[in-house]
Amino acid sequence: MKFRSTTILTVRHNGQVAMGGDGQVTMGQTVVKSDAVKIRRLMDGQVIVGFAGAAADAFALMERLEAKLKDYPANVPRAATELAKEWRMDRALRRLEALVAVVDAKNTLLLSGTGDVIQPSDGILGIGSGGNYALSAARALVNHTNLSAAEIVRHSLDIAGEICVYSNRNIVIEEIK
């Protein structure tokens, strides 16, 4: 059986940054958990990480990212690039199946096992099974409302939860102020 889960969204808007995630974990056609927390704060709360994919793989990657952040404390893009290189080149790490979204006060990054470190040009990033639904909603809200970044994340994840059967409306949001 295949596990499916997660909608993670990060929005950078009007000097604010917020990341949110839903709580659903699905195995096959069954919801096995509805209140999973897929967002973590690192580096004394200065960095927020969200993950989509296999939870154990994501936790392994978050631990490695935290180590890289300690090696490069003022440089999140460098830490992310070093992790992506290690992830791509290490035989055991290559098998990890997850995507990781990383934000700090200045950067929004997507990390993948293929060595990608992508910074979205608009500061909005969605990953996971409902990520594209949330991303679309967030882009519309950013362009047509005066909501805060956290409010945009909440409304966008609500919309994704209504559309994506692998997402729910049990939402956790973290902000960097």
Side-chain angles (χ1 to χ4, degrees):
M1 283 217 161
K2 185 168 184 166
F3 279 93
R4 294 185 188 237
S5 61
T6 307
T7 301
I8 300 293
L9 178 68
T10 183
V11 172
R12 186 174 298 279
H13 182 61
N14 291 336
Q16 305 169 330
V17 63
M19 181 184 290
D22 76 314
Q24 185 162 306
V25 177
T26 308
M27 187 167 60
Q29 297 175 352
T30 305
V31 175
V32 293
K33 185 167 178 68
S34 63
D35 61 351
V37 178
K38 304 163 193 169
I39 296 174
R40 302 283 185 271
R41 285 186 171 272
L42 304 177
M43 300 300 291
D44 297 322
Q46 297 175 38
V47 176
I48 304 172
V49 179
F51 63 88
D57 293 355
F59 284 120
L61 290 167
M62 281 193 289
E63 287 175 5
R64 289 180 182 267
L65 177 60
E66 190 162 34
K68 297 295 182 191
L69 288 167
K70 288 178 183 172
D71 291 342
Y72 307 99
N75 195 340
V76 170
R78 175 76 188 269
T81 301
E82 293 299 321
L83 173 62
K85 286 190 324 192
E86 186 177 320
W87 189 358
R88 180 168 171 74
M89 297 174 77
D90 184 273
R91 180 171 279 182
L93 287 179
R94 257 188 303 211
R95 293 188 177 110
L96 299 182
E97 295 183 18
L99 288 174
V100 180
V102 181
V103 297
D104 70 355
K106 293 185 256 176
N107 302 286
T108 300
L109 302 170
L110 168 65
L111 309 178
S112 79
T114 58
D116 296 318
V117 178
I118 299 168
Q119 186 166 24
S121 55
D122 62 1
I124 305 170
L125 175 64
I127 61 173
S129 54
N132 286 332
Y133 303 117
L135 176 68
S136 297
R139 285 184 174 159
L141 289 170
V142 162
N143 289 322
H144 299 288
T145 68
N146 292 319
L147 297 173
S148 71
E151 291 169 322
I152 291 169
V153 167
R154 178 162 306 283
H155 289 300
S156 299
L157 288 172
D158 273 339
I159 291 167
E162 291 176 5
I163 298 168
C164 179
V165 297
Y166 299 111
S167 298
N168 69 13
R169 295 164 102 185
N170 189 352
I171 297 167
V172 173
I173 297 174
E174 296 283 349
E175 295 178 80
I176 296 177
K177 297 183 180 196

